[in-house]
Amino acid sequence: MWLGSVADGLVRRGPAPVLLVRPSEDGAVTEEAAAFRHILVPLDGSALAEEALDLAVQVGEPAGAKYTLVQAISPVTVIGPHSTEAIAAEYQAQHEKEAERALGELADRLRARGAEADVVVITHPSPAAAILDVAESRGADLICLATHGRTGLPRLFLGSVADKVVRSAKVPVLVVRPGE
């Protein structure tokens, strides 16, 4: 909304997934973007996010890519007359366990297709920062994620994990909107 860039417009309203590749400091796009061998797919448990996984497989399968499925979970805060750190920790552990189970099922489907896949569940106050940290620490060469493609006030007030990842990622980002 603030930048008004062509790339931003394509991500929000384009008819197809958009691959965003940041040029090097000299303005060149390297040939490393030609084949992606380690694809990070941020997921949040929604069917929308899983659409990005389908696209990631289409992109990565020809190169025999490895997949890292990541879910960033916000820290749990329990508010009430009987809230304690122990209760918050219990809820947090349950949430993490459920995310690991769900991501594990998706990773098993990839493994059944012969792909290498691992799962990362990370608790972090900023999902976008967590995704970027995992991408860097795991050596991903592509991030493939879904976006709602919100514009205007909903985007301003709700923010966008995808938008923050796109603007800060050091590797190419493949963005898909639902139903494409």
Side-chain angles (χ1 to χ4, degrees), residues 65-79:
K66 172 185 177 179
Y67 302 90
T68 296
L69 311 181
V70 62
Q71 184 166 351
I73 298 174
S74 297
V76 171
T77 303
V78 178
I79 300 173

Side-chain angles (χ1 to χ4, degrees), residues 15-41:
V18 177
L19 176 63
L20 299 160
V21 180
R22 187 177 310 280
S24 63
E25 290 186 21
D26 65 2
V29 176
T30 64
E31 291 182 25
E32 295 170 1
F36 300 110
R37 291 177 172 48
H38 186 175
I39 302 174
L40 182 97
V41 185

Side-chain angles (χ1 to χ4, degrees), residues 13-173:
R13 293 178 292 283
V18 177
L19 176 63
L20 299 160
V21 180
R22 187 177 310 280
S24 63
E25 290 186 21
D26 65 2
V29 176
T30 64
E31 291 182 25
E32 295 170 1
F36 300 110
R37 291 177 172 48
H38 186 175
I39 302 174
L40 182 97
V41 185
L43 298 163
D44 62 8
S46 70
L48 165 68
E50 285 186 35
E51 288 187 38
L53 181 57
D54 295 337
L55 181 60
V57 170
Q58 290 175 27
V59 169
E61 212 164 35
K66 172 185 177 179
Y67 302 90
T68 296
L69 311 181
V70 62
Q71 184 166 351
I73 298 174
S74 297
V76 171
T77 303
V78 178
I79 300 173
H82 303 292
S83 62
T84 66
E85 287 184 31
I87 293 172
E90 183 179 329
Y91 283 126
Q92 189 74 45
Q94 288 174 351
H95 196 53
E96 290 171 2
K97 185 176 180 181
E98 177 57 29
E100 287 173 2
R101 184 201 56 75
L103 291 181
E105 289 176 6
L106 294 171
D108 287 344
R109 288 196 305 197
L110 292 172
R111 292 180 194 116
R113 296 176 71 151
E116 184 180 346
D118 64 346
V119 169
V120 176
V121 174
I122 183 169
T123 299
H124 198 286
S126 169
I131 291 163
L132 294 166
D133 289 349
V134 172
E136 186 171 347
S137 69
R138 296 290 178 113
D141 54 18
L142 175 69
I143 300 171
C144 184
L145 53 70
T147 182
H148 290 282
R150 292 185 179 107
T151 59
L153 290 177
R155 179 175 170 204
L156 178 64
F157 290 115
L158 295 175
S160 168
V161 172
D163 187 57
K164 291 171 186 164
V165 169
V166 163
R167 293 180 191 284
S168 301
K170 295 177 182 173
V171 298
V173 180

